[in-house]
């Protein structure tokens, strides 16, 4: 009885110092670039919300901005931890993509960022605040990035 065997090889490039191994090849892959953009857009949202949060009691009495601020901060930190773990380990980037963690994380991030951005933008239709408007639109952009990541995670998920 014969059967076929498929062998897949993954080549990674590393920057090796005495204590830290960096998987620089992960940032050259599409999921790595996507996570980096999610992190950068999340940092921009958190920066905009932090800068404009001082106007909270003077111009904006709703809770939508606080919800968006919390969601952007939460998923920025989670994406940073995920990207850092993939960069500091040679095997994490390939292994974690095959688990259900990435699918669940990116799906929840996309849904909650969509909800917080939509709530913020709906509230802003009655008043003008450019900083919050930019943060809401960047939230929608980040939501699209998380949906793409969830789609890629769904395609690479192996129900082991």
């Amino acid at each position: 009885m014969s059967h076929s065997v498929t062998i897949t090889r993954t080549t990674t490039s590393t920057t090796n110092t005495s204590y830290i191994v960096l998987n620089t090849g992960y940032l050259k892959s599409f999921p790595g670039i996507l996570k980096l953009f999610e992190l950068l857009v999340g940092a921009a949202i958190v920066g905009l919300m932090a800068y404009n949060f001082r106007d909270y009691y003077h111009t904006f009495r709703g809770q939508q901005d606080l919800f968006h601020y919390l969601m952007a901060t939460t998923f920025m930190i989670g994406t940073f931890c995920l990207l850092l773990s993939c960069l500091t380990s040679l095997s994490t980037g390939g292994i974690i993509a095959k688990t259900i963690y990435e699918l669940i994380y990116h799906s929840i991030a996309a849904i909650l960022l969509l909800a917080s951005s939509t709530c913020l933008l709906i509230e802003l239709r009655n008043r003008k605040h450019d900083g919050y408007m930019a943060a809401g639109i960047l939230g929608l952009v980040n939501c699209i990035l998380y949906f793409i990541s969830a789609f890629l995670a769904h395609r690479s998920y192996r129900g082991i």
Side-chain angles (χ1 to χ4, degrees), residues 10 12 23 26 29 31 35 82 85-87 89-103 152-153 155-160:
T10 303
T12 59
N23 184 4
Y26 184 73
S29 68
K35 282 183 187 61
L82 191 59
S85 67
C86 290
L87 286 176
S89 173
L90 294 176
S91 61
T92 301
I95 292 173
I96 204 162
K98 293 178 178 70
T99 65
I100 194 135
Y101 173 75
E102 274 206 3
L103 177 61
L152 291 176
R155 282 187 35 197
S156 67
Y157 169 63
R158 310 236 192 279
I160 303 172

Side-chain angles (χ1 to χ4, degrees), residues 121-128:
L121 291 173
I122 287 173
E123 181 62 31
L124 286 174
R125 68 182 172 175
N126 298 330
R127 45 190 86 154
K128 184 177 185 334

Side-chain angles (χ1 to χ4, degrees), residues 14 18 26 38 45 51 59 73 86-87 100 122 156:
T14 61
S18 59
Y26 184 73
E38 290 165 358
I45 295 169
Y51 181 76
T59 60
T73 304
C86 290
L87 286 176
I100 194 135
I122 287 173
S156 67

Side-chain angles (χ1 to χ4, degrees), residues 6-59:
T6 304
I7 298 173
T8 305
R9 292 185 183 197
T10 303
T11 305
T12 59
S13 61
T14 61
T15 303
N16 194 358
T17 60
S18 59
Y19 297 105
I20 299 173
V21 175
L22 288 179
N23 184 4
T24 55
Y26 184 73
L27 281 180
K28 295 175 185 173
S29 68
F30 188 66
I33 293 170
L34 204 55
K35 282 183 187 61
L36 182 64
F37 283 146
E38 290 165 358
L39 180 65
L40 293 175
V41 172
I45 295 169
V46 170
L48 281 169
M49 295 300 289
Y51 181 76
N52 292 304
F53 202 69
R54 60 183 163 80
D55 295 337
Y56 178 72
Y57 291 108
H58 301 293
T59 60

